Every structure is written in C-alpha cells, then in structure tokens.
Amino acid sequence: MSIDWAALKAAIEVAQRIVLTSHVRPDCDALGSELGMAALLRQMGKEVTIVNDSETPTHLEFIDPAKEIKQLGKDISREEILNGFDAFMVVDTSAWIQLGEMADVMKEFRGVKLVLDHHVSQDDLGGEMFKDPKCEATGRLVYEAAKAWEMTITKETATVLFTAIATDTGWFRFPSVSGSTYRAIGDLIDAGAVPSDVYGNLFENERLQRVNLRGRILASAKIILDGRLAYSMATQKDFEETGATPSDTEDAINKTMAVTGVEAAILFVELPNGDGVKASFRSRSALDVAKLAQQFGGGGHVAAAGALVKKPLGEVVSMLLEATERAMDQYAS
C-alpha cells in the first residue's frame, strides 16, 4: 500500500470528535468503510459520528444493524456538525459532486479535513488526501490501517470490511483482485466474517420491487456499435410502477456485461424530483471509463465509474452514448 499510515494516524490524533461521511447513494464499500473506520477511531479513544447525505438503501440496512449511520437534515443538522466536531473525514470518494449536501458542510468546516479513498479521479476537497488508486476497495484500506496501527478487528468490523471488499471486487471476479486480496479476506474470515451470511444478505434477500425493476432494466437493454456497447435505463415510470427506488439499480449494469461481445456498458437511472440522471459505466476493454465519466463531472476507476448529469434523460442518453462511441472508436477491439 502506498499510504503513509503513520501520517494519517498523526492527523487523527490531534482531533477528539470526528464526523465520517461518504458518497451519495452509498454502496457497501462506502458503508463498510465508514463503519470499519469508526470502529478503529473509537479504539483510539475518539468520539465518532457517521453522517451521509443519503439514507442507507433499504437492501443494505443489514450492514448497520445498530442504525449508527445518520442522515444529514433528518438525524443531524449542518450546524451540529460545524459546531460539534473538530475533524471531518471522507471515505470512498474524492469528488465534491459525490458528497451531495455534505459537500457544503465540508467547505464550511474549519477543523481537520481528511480523505481516504481508492478512486483514480479526484477534486481538491481542501483536506489531507490519503489515497491508493491501485487498491481494490476502500474497505481494504481500512483493513490495512487496522493492521498498520495494530488494532483489534472484531467480528463486527471484519464483517463490514469483508462486505466492502467483496462487493467492490464483484465478489472477487474483477481484475483488481490479487493474492493479497485473498490474504486480507482470509484474515477477516478468521476474525469472524461469515461469507455465506454476507452473500445471503446481499443476494438472497431481495425485495420483489427490486426484482421487478431488475427485470425491466434487462428487458430494455440494447447493444450498439457492432455489439460492443450495451446500454439500458431505469425511468421514473419504472420506479413508480414497480415501487422500487434508485438504489435498487445497484449491480444491474453488470448483467448487461454478460452479453457475448460486449466490451462496455452504461446504465442510465432517472432520479426523482428532477435531480438528473445517474450514469454508471463499466468496461472490460481498453476504454477508460473513469476518463469518460470525468467529462460529465463524475469519476471512478478505469473499469467502473459513474457520473451525475442534471439534464433530461433523453438528452443525457444521446450525449453519453455519443461520447462513449467516440472513445471506443479510438482503440481497436
């Protein structure tokens, strides 16, 4: 790992009350990293509160049985954060747009600001950056912090970190996985994580609304560019008629990547209240989707990235498909 863990620990030690946050519409890596880091900070004697812009998705609530994670504006106000904490730590993102309203809170915050992340793209968040883009998950970074600081990994911490790493590696099938990934996972299992329980919570505990939405997304899938590019979408009508939510689209894009000959895929999700369109990109080719997403204010990894575009769905689809086709035309398949 390329992170200076001693420097991060030194930066943390000057603070006593720390607020942790992550990106909007948090996934398991965001939630698991927050919960795992909170546990480590408490071992250091710190008071920790986790606050996100978005509520925890219903299908991921199992990761936080104590309901420790708060939502800004619902469970805690921006004034309470600005006046009640002396350190502000972001995990699993380095982009302003990904923080939602927590971005404004961070900009106003006058204490220590820290960022722990593994994404390639980044903004200047005005804090000290601790980053390793070669790492497969931010949850893995939290695990490495625990090892470097010689801290105890409890069963609860092992479980959330296992969940973070397992999901951000596509259950260990993505190219980011290495031998060291499995060695870290082995440690977490020895510490109490139970893979079958995590898998059951993630993939064998589906709401019917989520299943129905997944069916619509797959039914609307199309392939273009001689079968090299797949795309699909989830519209407001889909959400209204199935009773599903935008968080129920998680991982649906990976199903489109299973089509023979597909080298890249995009999933367009029309958000409620005119909040724009969330675009998720995947690639298993020379296409760098992080660079593609950056053109639209997003970011991520070479093979997986996302962007939020505040324009109508039809306009976003045309604009992003055109940009993706241009990028794919620049390399030979």
Side-chain angles (χ1 to χ4, degrees), residues 187-243:
D187 280 351
L188 294 174
I189 292 173
D190 289 343
V194 181
S196 59
D197 288 350
V198 174
Y199 188 92
N201 279 318
L202 283 169
F203 305 114
E204 298 171 341
N205 192 31
E206 300 273 23
R207 295 162 55 247
L208 181 60
Q209 295 93 325
R210 181 177 166 90
V211 173
N212 287 337
L213 179 66
R214 180 70 55 84
R216 289 188 176 219
I217 291 172
L218 297 180
S220 68
K222 297 178 176 60
I223 55 173
I224 57 175
L225 207 63
D226 297 324
R228 296 165 60 203
L229 176 61
Y231 73 96
S232 189
M233 62 189 68
T235 68
Q236 271 303 290
K237 182 179 179 181
D238 291 326
F239 293 124
E240 291 166 4
E241 294 183 352
T242 62

Side-chain angles (χ1 to χ4, degrees), residues 19 51 72 76-85 105 109:
V19 62
V51 184
L72 181 66
I76 189 171
S77 68
R78 62 190 299 147
E79 289 74 22
E80 288 177 285
I81 296 174
L82 294 173
N83 299 323
F85 297 88
V105 180
F109 192 80

Side-chain angles (χ1 to χ4, degrees), residues 22-23 90-95 98-99 115-117 119 125 138:
S22 190
H23 54 78
V90 177
V91 297
D92 201 40
T93 185
S94 309
Q98 285 290 310
L99 291 174
V115 181
L116 181 67
D117 189 25
H119 293 94
L125 300 188
T138 302

Side-chain angles (χ1 to χ4, degrees), residues 10-269:
I12 291 169
E13 285 177 339
V14 302
Q16 180 56 34
R17 299 196 68 208
I18 303 170
V19 62
L20 279 170
T21 194
S22 190
H23 54 78
V24 294
R25 294 174 294 281
D27 57 9
C28 285
D29 195 22
L31 300 168
S33 297
E34 289 177 316
L35 291 163
M37 180 55 72
L40 300 189
L41 295 176
R42 289 178 183 130
Q43 285 189 49
M44 296 169 66
K46 308 302 180 183
E47 299 173 53
V48 186
T49 300
I50 304 172
V51 184
N52 289 332
D53 171 271
S54 308
E55 64 182 352
T56 300
T58 304
H59 68 287
L60 300 182
E61 288 179 347
F62 74 89
I63 201 171
D64 181 25
K67 299 190 181 302
E68 179 182 340
I69 300 172
K70 300 179 183 298
Q71 184 180 7
L72 181 66
K74 178 182 177 182
D75 306 305
I76 189 171
S77 68
R78 62 190 299 147
E79 289 74 22
E80 288 177 285
I81 296 174
L82 294 173
N83 299 323
F85 297 88
D86 46 20
F88 192 115
M89 188 173 190
V90 177
V91 297
D92 201 40
T93 185
S94 309
W96 284 121
I97 195 170
Q98 285 290 310
L99 291 174
E101 292 186 11
M102 284 297 285
D104 293 333
V105 180
M106 188 176 187
K107 288 173 183 177
E108 291 184 44
F109 192 80
R110 293 294 175 260
V112 175
K113 299 179 186 180
L114 305 167
V115 181
L116 181 67
D117 189 25
H118 76 128
H119 293 94
V120 176
S121 52
Q122 70 178 59
D123 296 327
D124 181 1
L125 300 188
E128 194 169 356
M129 188 79 68
F130 296 88
K131 191 162 186 168
D132 185 354
K134 295 182 180 179
C135 187
E136 65 273 52
T138 302
R140 171 70 188 280
L141 294 177
V142 177
Y143 163 82
E144 293 297 337
K147 302 296 284 186
W149 299 339
E150 298 181 343
M151 291 189 171
T152 301
I153 298 179
T154 65
K155 177 179 180 179
E156 292 74 21
T157 301
T159 299
V160 297
L161 295 183
F162 176 96
T163 306
I165 298 169
T167 53
D168 238 38
T169 58
W171 211 258
F172 314 110
R173 72 182 189 276
F174 293 166
S176 58
V177 173
S178 66
S180 65
T181 307
Y182 286 104
R183 285 187 284 274
I185 287 298
D187 280 351
L188 294 174
I189 292 173
D190 289 343
V194 181
S196 59
D197 288 350
V198 174
Y199 188 92
N201 279 318
L202 283 169
F203 305 114
E204 298 171 341
N205 192 31
E206 300 273 23
R207 295 162 55 247
L208 181 60
Q209 295 93 325
R210 181 177 166 90
V211 173
N212 287 337
L213 179 66
R214 180 70 55 84
R216 289 188 176 219
I217 291 172
L218 297 180
S220 68
K222 297 178 176 60
I223 55 173
I224 57 175
L225 207 63
D226 297 324
R228 296 165 60 203
L229 176 61
Y231 73 96
S232 189
M233 62 189 68
T235 68
Q236 271 303 290
K237 182 179 179 181
D238 291 326
F239 293 124
E240 291 166 4
E241 294 183 352
T242 62
T245 65
S247 65
D248 288 319
T249 62
E250 186 180 350
D251 292 333
I253 188 174
N254 295 326
K255 297 295 184 181
T256 64
M257 289 291 288
V259 177
T260 301
V262 168
E263 299 173 6
I266 310 173
L267 175 62
F268 301 96
V269 179

